[in-house]
């Protein structure tokens, strides 16, 4: 009981301190940005500490690279990028407030997780500032009717539909043609559940046999999840999660000798981190639905210089598609800013809604055209497949596939 | 067959919980400190194993021989410099150990950028067949280590002079001090031993899990439940509580709902505490 009272005291003190920190000084800017400014400050909300710090730091690199690529300016203004560390939704609120009131942010962007995006964007709305979402996926984020909300990257439902389209289009014919048995394994947060719900509905519409399992993204044992899937004996095992739980599921499946005809990872599972965690044998021939790929055909992603820029800047490979997605989002926002008649929300919103860039016009092979809810209609995803030499290559759709590459399916 | 599979996976999971909980309970029982930073020693063990393997090509099953003494020294140092000053203030203990948690995590963040590090050794994915059930080798090693550490500690505490001093302090610190026992030294050694056991747990976990700066929290939350369930200050209780918790989690995940695993074992924890507030093996309320 002493623990609980101690934690309560600790939490209260932390919140109090955070509250004091965000309200102690007079703001430099009230966020009511009218008229031209010579410096445009973009506040980026990402997790730089906590369990998702790795993803947040990759996003930071992506944003910085995109600003550097643009020469550090847009529409004649110098771009100042300031970061707020938001490992939790509460921190997203206090850091968003800090970036607006102390750093004078003219726009906010981020994040990495749904909860952060939800919290931060509402702060931006209160201050009449645009919110640019680059990496968070949950569809519900744009269903709140916020006028300041624009998402440059994909939604959860796109990952869901792409994974099911791929299964129906490519795996089903290779696995006998008839309705398949599919086990959907998802992390139990809003992100995983949102994807699984759409997948389940689409699969049931196709007449497939479906079973759904869930696990915690921070679980330290997923044997029960793997045994549930094994008991169902699926043709296809679809795993939606983050890198760590995807790795643990893959490793446990290998130990439990669970090897369905095809495994499809969704929004994870195509990174060197997973390769290092589970080893080459466990990954070869597995598929991953992902944002973008360095191996994608030039016609799919003509603006694919990100990877070389990243290596040149940081001396190592990017970790998955997190940084490239952030890079694409920042690039898109700088183009919006370039075309805007001012720096206030109305001008930036008008510019965003007037954007009409065809597929391939921005990095990752995407274009830019927002619908009424602020979603980018011109985001497209692709499927990669791990090869036995430790590289995930683009294999689907055919127009995105790397030279001479196609999905390889080993029917049982 | 499936019941056996679940039972074995539960026992192997319980071994992990037990090994992490033993050190936590040792400090609880003797030093009377709630060490929120205990999981960070596990994290340090994991990163230590990674570094030893990638830099010096030393297998984790060897590197623990070097890393455990280092963990012991860090524990002794922290006890002497930090914990010693807040022994009589439980609220300050929470602040200080929570502060240490943040410090250790931040240091790990600086060096890793938050990116996971996997210790790639063949044993990480290895398993063998036991009556048709797949048994993970690295998890079995952890379970066996938890049993060995428990036996060694119980024998040491019951049969050695130093162990007698430790037990005397855990029962009545002031009287033990009046009897001439150097309480500060016992506290330092106990804290060091707790850290060393946690580091060993981390090293042995490294082939199974990807090390991240915040991974210690994943292990320390169930370890707290194990300590309360098994009995505050009871080393045997840590082992039994850990195995029990592992089995509960495995069966509830398989037959109830994987998302309700923690809810199930916390419910059992509450029931046990209501019936026996000192835990399964605790003799007196601490």
């Amino acid at each position: 009981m002493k623990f609980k009272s101690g934690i309560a005291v600790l939490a209260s003190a932390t919140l109090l301190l955070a509250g004091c920190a965000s309200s102690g000084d007079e703001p430099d800017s009230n966020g009511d940005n009218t008229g031209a400014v010579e410096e445009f400050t973009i506040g980026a909300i990402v997790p730089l500490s906590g369990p998702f710090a790795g993803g947040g730091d990759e996003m930071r690199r992506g944003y910085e690279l995109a600003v550097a690529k643009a020469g550090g300016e847009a529409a004649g203004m110098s771009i100042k990028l300031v970061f707020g560390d938001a490992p939790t939704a509460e921190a997203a609120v206090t850091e968003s407030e800090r970036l607006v009131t102390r750093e004078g942010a003219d726009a906010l962007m981020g994040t990495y997780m749904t909860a952060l995006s939800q919290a931060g964007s509402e702060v931006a709305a209160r201050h009449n500032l645009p919110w640019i979402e680059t990496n968070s996926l949950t569809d519900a984020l744009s269903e709140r009717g916020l006028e300041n909300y624009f998402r440059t990257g994909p939604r959860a439902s796109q990952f869901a539909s792409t994974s099911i389209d791929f299964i129906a289009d490519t795996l089903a014919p290779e696995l006998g043609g008839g309705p398949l048995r599919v086990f959907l394994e998802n992390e139990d947060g809003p992100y995983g559940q949102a994807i699984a719900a759409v997948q389940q509905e689409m699969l049931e519409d196709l007449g497939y046999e479906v079973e759904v399992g869930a696990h915690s993204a921070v679980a330290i044992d997923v044997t029960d999840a793997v045994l549930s899937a094994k008991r169902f004996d699926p043709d296809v095992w679809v795993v939606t999660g983050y890198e760590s739980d995807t790795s643990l599921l893959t490793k446990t499946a290998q130990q439990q000798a669970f090897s369905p005809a095809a495994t499809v990872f969704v929004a994870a599972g195509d990174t060197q981190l997973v390769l290092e965690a589970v080893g080459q044998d466990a990954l070869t021939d597995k598929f991953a639905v992902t944002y973008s790929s360095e191996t994608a055909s030039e016609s799919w992603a003509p603006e694919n210089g990100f990877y070389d820029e990243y290596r040149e800047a940081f001396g190592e490979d990017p970790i998955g598609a997190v940084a490239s997605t952030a890079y694409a989002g920042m690039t898109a926002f700088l183009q919006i800013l370039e075309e805007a008649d001012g720096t206030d929300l109305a001008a930036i919103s008008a510019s965003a809604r007037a954007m009409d860039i065809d597929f391939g016009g921005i990095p990752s092979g995407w274009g830019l055209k927002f619908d009424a809810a602020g979603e980018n209609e011109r985001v497209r995803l692709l499927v990669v497949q791990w090869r036995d030499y430790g590289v995930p290559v683009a294999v689907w759709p055919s127009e995105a596939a790397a030279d001479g590459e196609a999905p390889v399916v080993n029917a049982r | 067959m499936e019941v056996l599979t679940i039972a074995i996976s539960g026992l192997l999971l319980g071994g992990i919980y037990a090994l992490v909980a033993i050190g936590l309970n040792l400090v609880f029982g003797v030093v009377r400190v709630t060490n929120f930073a205990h999981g960070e020693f596990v994290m340090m063990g994991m990163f230590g194993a990674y570094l030893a393997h990638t830099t010096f090509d030393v297998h984790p099953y060897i590197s623990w021989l070097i890393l455990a003494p280092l963990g012991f020294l860090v524990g002794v140092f922290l006890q002497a410099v930090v914990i010693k000053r807040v022994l009589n203030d439980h609220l300050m203990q929470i602040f200080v150990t929570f502060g240490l948690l943040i410090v250790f995590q931040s240091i790990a963040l600086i060096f890793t950028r938050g990116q996971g590090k996997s210790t790639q050794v063949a044993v990480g994915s290895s398993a063998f067949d036991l009556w048709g059930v797949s048994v993970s080798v690295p998890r079995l090693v952890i379970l066996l280590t938890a049993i060995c550490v428990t036996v060694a500690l119980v024998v040491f505490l019951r049969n050695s002079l130093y162990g007698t001093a430790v037990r005397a302090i855990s029962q009545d610190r002031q009287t033990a001090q009046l009897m001439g026992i150097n309480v500060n030294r016992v506290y330092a050694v106990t804290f060091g031993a707790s850290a060393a056991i946690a580091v060993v747990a981390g090293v042995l976990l490294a082939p199974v899990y990807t090390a991240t700066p915040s991974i210690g929290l994943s292990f320390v939350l169930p370890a707290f439940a194990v300590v309360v369930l098994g009995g505050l200050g009871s080393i045997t209780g840590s082992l039994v509580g850990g195995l029990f918790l592992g089995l509960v989690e495995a069966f509830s995940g398989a037959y109830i709902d994987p998302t309700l695993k923690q809810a199930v074992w916390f419910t059992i924890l509450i029931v046990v505490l209501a019936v026996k507030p000192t835990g399964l093996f605790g003799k007196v309320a601490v």
Side-chain angles (χ1 to χ4, degrees):
Chain A
M1 292 305 104
K2 282 177 182 172
F3 301 152
K4 288 186 178 173
S5 61
I7 290 168
V9 169
L10 196 64
S12 306
T14 307
L15 287 173
L16 200 63
L17 288 171
C20 291
S22 64
S23 60
D25 294 346
E26 283 296 309
D28 296 333
S29 160
N30 61 7
D32 191 7
N33 301 288
T34 52
V37 290
E38 294 193 345
E39 182 177 80
F40 190 90
T41 302
I42 300 173
I45 297 293
V46 290
L48 295 172
S49 61
F52 300 103
D57 200 53
E58 278 289 282
M59 286 181 64
R60 179 184 62 79
R61 287 183 168 187
Y63 290 154
E64 287 176 347
L65 270 182
V67 171
K69 178 78 184 297
E73 60 177 34
M77 300 176 290
S78 71
I79 300 297
K80 181 183 175 189
L81 195 50
V82 291
F83 288 90
D85 173 20
T88 63
E90 294 75 19
V93 171
T94 54
E95 284 296 277
S96 298
E97 289 283 0
R98 182 183 68 81
L99 292 182
V100 174
T101 58
R102 288 195 177 183
E103 301 289 346
D106 300 295
L108 293 177
M109 67 193 308
T111 47
Y112 186 70
M113 296 150 60
T114 301
L116 308 184
S117 181
Q118 187 163 354
S121 59
E122 285 168 9
V123 173
R126 282 202 298 275
H127 288 276
N128 229 17
L129 296 179
W131 176 276
I132 310 299
E133 182 54 57
T134 60
N135 286 58
S136 193
L137 296 179
T138 306
D139 289 57
L141 288 167
S142 62
E143 294 165 2
R144 296 169 297 165
L146 291 181
E147 293 290 326
N148 67 327
Y149 196 92
F150 296 94
R151 175 153 43 194
T152 57
R155 288 161 281 164
S157 57
Q158 285 176 288
F159 272 99
S161 58
T162 303
S163 63
I164 303 310
D165 288 346
F166 169 66
I167 290 169
D169 177 73
T170 301
L171 297 185
E174 296 287 337
L175 296 173
L180 302 176
R181 290 169 65 82
V182 180
F183 192 94
L184 302 172
E185 178 66 43
N186 61 281
E187 68 90 27
D188 60 6
Y191 145 68
Q193 287 188 24
I195 289 178
V198 177
Q199 287 171 326
Q200 184 175 10
E201 188 179 343
M202 289 182 71
L203 286 169
E204 286 172 351
D205 287 347
L206 288 168
Y208 287 18
E209 283 184 71
V210 189
E211 191 159 311
V212 182
H215 64 275
S216 165
V218 293
I220 59 176
D221 184 69
V222 289
T223 307
D224 49 6
V226 171
L227 290 177
S228 296
K230 191 177 178 181
R231 197 184 306 137
F232 183 69
D233 190 26
D235 299 300
V236 186
W237 188 37
V238 182
V239 176
T240 302
Y242 297 93
E243 303 304 330
S244 57
D245 54 324
T246 298
S247 299
L248 194 56
L249 282 160
T250 307
K251 195 180 279 192
T252 306
Q254 191 182 31
Q255 286 173 343
Q256 294 296 333
F258 172 51
S259 54
T263 298
V264 180
F265 301 126
V266 179
D270 61 332
T271 67
Q272 290 298 310
L273 288 180
V274 176
L275 177 65
E276 288 171 11
V278 306
Q280 181 58 59
D281 288 349
L283 279 182
T284 298
D285 289 345
K286 291 187 168 50
F287 298 97
V289 181
T290 189
Y291 304 78
S292 56
S293 168
E294 186 176 15
T295 66
S297 67
E298 195 176 341
S299 61
W300 179 270
E303 300 288 331
N304 221 10
F306 159 80
Y307 299 92
D308 288 335
E309 291 168 31
Y310 187 102
R311 289 189 195 99
E312 191 177 337
F314 304 112
E316 59 187 350
D317 287 332
I319 297 166
V322 174
S324 63
T325 303
Y327 177 90
M330 178 62 87
T331 302
F333 180 56
L334 294 180
Q335 292 196 27
I336 292 168
L337 207 54
E338 193 73 48
E339 302 296 325
D341 289 334
T343 58
D344 61 352
L345 175 59
I348 291 173
S349 293
S351 174
R353 294 188 192 286
M355 279 286 152
D356 190 0
I357 301 174
D358 206 1
F359 285 111
I362 66 169
S364 295
W366 302 340
L368 195 62
K369 184 169 180 59
F370 291 105
D371 64 14
E375 297 283 8
N376 183 4
E377 294 175 340
R378 292 185 182 155
V379 173
R380 54 185 179 180
L381 306 174
L382 51 80
V383 175
V384 295
Q385 186 175 27
W386 281 97
R387 295 296 186 232
D388 59 8
Y389 47 88
V391 175
V393 298
V395 294
W396 188 90
S398 55
E399 57 267 37
D403 275 350
E405 295 288 355
V408 176
V409 185
N410 300 310
R412 290 182 295 182
Chain B
M1 182 61 69
E2 187 170 287
V3 171
L4 184 62
T5 304
I6 295 165
I8 288 177
S9 75
L11 288 173
L12 296 178
L13 176 63
I16 295 173
Y17 290 159
L19 189 55
V20 177
I22 288 167
L24 191 64
N25 212 351
L26 192 63
V27 167
F28 244 140
V30 180
V31 191
R32 305 290 168 88
V33 166
T34 312
N35 184 12
F36 282 98
H38 188 71
E40 307 328 297
F41 290 107
V42 177
M43 178 265 286
M44 284 191 271
M46 294 182 78
F47 278 115
Y50 171 79
L51 275 177
H53 185 252
T54 53
T55 310
F56 304 107
D57 201 23
V58 181
H59 195 282
Y61 292 170
I62 303 292
S63 61
W64 73 269
L65 291 165
I66 305 156
L67 295 167
L70 288 176
F72 178 83
L73 292 177
V74 173
V76 168
F77 175 79
L78 285 177
Q79 163 64 26
V81 175
V82 182
I83 305 297
K84 182 181 166 184
R85 299 173 198 284
V86 295
L87 281 176
N88 296 318
D89 188 335
H90 290 292
L91 196 57
M92 281 307 292
Q93 285 174 13
I94 292 169
F95 274 103
V96 165
T97 58
F98 203 82
L100 286 173
L101 178 153
I102 301 293
V103 168
F104 288 137
Q105 280 195 10
S106 301
I107 291 171
L109 264 177
I110 289 168
F111 285 105
T112 65
R113 286 202 310 122
Q115 307 300 342
K117 302 291 179 190
S118 296
T119 306
Q120 296 177 55
V121 286
V123 74
S125 300
S126 61
F128 65 89
D129 191 86
L130 179 70
W131 304 313
V133 176
S134 176
V135 179
S136 162
V137 172
R139 286 172 183 248
L140 181 63
V141 169
I142 293 168
L143 172 61
L144 294 175
T145 305
I147 294 170
C148 290
V149 169
T150 302
V151 171
L153 273 175
V154 169
V155 169
F156 176 78
L157 290 173
R158 284 188 183 162
N159 300 312
S160 71
L161 190 62
Y162 204 89
T164 306
V166 170
R167 283 188 291 128
I169 290 172
S170 70
Q171 286 170 14
D172 190 330
R173 184 174 100 185
Q174 287 175 328
T175 305
Q177 202 159 15
L178 289 171
M179 297 298 287
I181 295 172
N182 187 336
V183 172
N184 283 334
R185 186 187 294 170
V186 171
Y187 277 2
V189 170
T190 304
F191 208 89
S194 165
I197 294 167
V199 166
V200 169
V203 174
L204 299 181
L205 286 165
V208 185
Y209 298 99
T210 300
T212 62
S214 58
I215 196 165
L217 279 175
S218 303
F219 296 109
V220 90
L221 179 63
F224 272 113
V226 168
V227 167
V228 177
L229 184 68
L232 297 170
S234 169
I235 304 301
T236 310
S238 296
L239 179 65
V240 176
L243 297 180
F244 179 69
L245 210 60
L247 285 169
V248 167
E249 184 168 328
F251 278 99
S252 57
Y255 292 114
I256 301 176
D257 187 333
T259 57
L260 293 176
K261 288 189 292 193
Q262 289 197 341
V264 170
W265 55 252
F266 268 117
T267 304
I268 291 175
L269 186 71
I270 291 166
V271 171
V272 169
L273 285 178
V275 176
K276 197 169 187 300
T278 56
L280 296 175
F281 287 79
K283 289 175 183 168
V284 292
V286 180

